[in-house]
Amino acid sequence: MGCFLASLPIQNDPESLPKPIRYEISSEKYAKKRLAVIVPFRDRFEELLEFVPHMYRFLKKQNIPFDIFVIQQKDNNRFNRASLINVGFLYTRKDYDYIAMHDVDLLPLNDNLKYDYPLNGPIHISSPQTHPKYHYETFIGGILLIKKEHFELVKGMSNNYWGWGLEDDEFYVRLKDAGLSVNRPENIDTGTENTFKHIHDKTYRKRDMRKCFNQREVTRRRDRVTGLHDVAYEVEGTHSVTIDTLPVTVVNVRLICNDSITPWCQCNEPAKPKKAK
């Protein structure tokens, strides 16, 4: 785990940073459509050890050229999944045609879940019909494929979401406002128990569900201000690492919070216990 903690001189231009050794798969169909698997990350090392070999096996069977980018948040602010995805997109957009916004704790099991290029609109791999936990119709979290042009069209994701939850719901509205329909896998013969393996241990890692200042009010509204164009960050360093000989690029990122706009990036309030039913 030591390689995750090492620091290199800060570099702010993602295109100036070293690029990974690509995992090449020969396929005429996908030769010009490269996938960047973007994994927003913090303190999930044992999950990453399982995620990387699994995804290599899974995507190799589909003959999709891909690379995995672990965008690791290294600051002391609350976790911001959406901003990390924005950073991952900026880092990869020059060399890749589409991204998978991919949770590290959700492993696809059904080979009919295709990670093909989403030509006609975003593809939500972990649909409400098959996700182990979330089943509402507008849910687009977990694993979402989106091509570069569509992510840029909607200006990426909102940067307002520090802590757990709701950033995907806001992104769904962005897609809808842009006239983009979310597609989902068809003819999947598995269900919520056996389409994915969910390796998150909620006892060991509790969700940061605290709501501080006016966070609850602001994050339940459509954000028409922030996004890909104004995500504030510094790249602390990059590392080319291998897990079971499989190459992964780790990008250490320090997110910068404007606490006059989103003071809830720091929250000293303890999580409120759930009321007994």
Side-chain angles (χ1 to χ4, degrees):
M1 189 173 177
C3 60
F4 283 74
L5 301 179
S7 296
L8 295 177
I10 292 176
Q11 304 176 66
N12 292 316
D13 180 5
E15 295 185 359
S16 70
L17 300 171
K19 301 301 180 184
I21 300 173
R22 291 174 174 173
Y23 183 74
E24 297 288 351
I25 301 174
S26 60
S27 168
E28 289 185 9
K29 184 177 180 181
Y30 299 110
K32 296 183 180 179
K33 304 300 181 186
R34 302 191 58 85
L35 169 63
V37 180
I38 307 285
V39 184
F41 186 85
R42 177 187 264 173
D43 300 332
R44 297 282 191 93
F45 186 67
E46 68 280 6
E47 293 177 6
L48 190 66
L49 291 178
E50 188 170 353
F51 175 84
V52 170
H54 181 94
M55 292 308 301
Y56 265 90
R57 289 191 299 268
F58 191 84
L59 293 177
K60 182 178 180 180
K61 287 186 287 186
Q62 298 188 22
N63 289 327
I64 293 176
F66 72 95
D67 289 301
I68 296 175
F69 296 86
V70 177
I71 313 301
Q72 179 173 225
Q73 186 172 337
K74 295 292 291 181
D75 53 74
N76 294 321
N77 294 317
R78 300 168 73 192
F79 188 66
N80 191 323
R81 177 178 178 271
S83 288
L84 293 175
I85 291 172
N86 283 340
V87 173
F89 177 83
L90 291 172
Y91 184 81
T92 60
R93 68 175 173 180
K94 183 178 179 180
D95 298 314
Y96 296 83
D97 302 288
Y98 65 118
I99 65 171
M101 300 156 50
H102 212 302
D103 288 354
V104 72
D105 60 5
L106 195 61
L107 309 181
L109 300 177
N110 190 321
D111 288 335
N112 290 322
L113 297 171
K114 302 301 183 183
Y115 282 59
D116 294 341
Y117 180 67
L119 177 64
N120 298 318
I123 298 175
H124 185 215
I125 299 291
S126 51
S127 72
Q129 291 75 31
T130 57
H131 191 280
K133 189 171 182 180
Y134 301 108
H135 311 300
Y136 58 95
E137 186 56 34
T138 58
F139 170 69
I140 57 168
I143 309 167
L144 183 73
L145 308 181
I146 184 169
K147 68 178 184 178
K148 178 167 60 176
E149 293 81 2
H150 284 165
F151 196 78
E152 292 173 335
L153 175 66
V154 300
K155 300 181 180 179
M157 303 188 76
S158 170
N159 297 309
N160 287 341
Y161 291 83
W162 304 88
W164 182 85
L166 296 180
E167 77 284 342
D168 288 312
D169 294 340
E170 200 279 340
F171 191 62
Y172 175 85
V173 179
R174 289 187 176 213
L175 297 175
K176 183 179 178 181
D177 285 354
L180 296 175
S181 297
V182 176
N183 304 297
R184 292 189 167 117
E186 298 179 350
N187 302 318
I188 302 300
D189 58 0
T190 51
T192 57
E193 300 297 326
N194 55 354
T195 304
F196 299 94
K197 181 179 180 182
H198 193 215
I199 58 177
H200 177 74
D201 186 339
K202 64 181 180 180
T203 302
Y204 179 52
R205 286 194 176 86
K206 295 182 179 180
R207 308 286 193 188
D208 181 3
M209 301 180 70
R210 296 169 294 172
K211 304 299 179 189
C212 301
F213 302 93
N214 61 332
Q215 179 180 6
R216 189 182 301 276
E217 175 189 354
V218 171
T219 56
R220 289 189 177 277
R221 296 200 305 260
R222 167 76 159 86
D223 175 12
R224 300 184 183 277
V225 177
T226 77
L228 193 61
H229 58 287
D230 67 349
V231 56
Y233 69 99
E234 295 174 340
V235 174
E236 191 176 85
T238 62
H239 306 277
S240 296
V241 303
T242 58
I243 295 176
D244 293 347
T245 74
L246 303 170
V248 182
T249 298
V250 178
V251 183
N252 284 341
V253 174
R254 189 174 300 277
L255 297 178
I256 300 170
C257 170
N258 184 338
D259 57 14
S260 66
I261 298 175
T262 57
W264 54 86
C265 62
Q266 296 281 339
C267 183
N268 296 321
E269 297 179 13
K272 295 181 180 180
K274 293 183 178 180
K275 295 181 180 180
K277 293 183 179 180

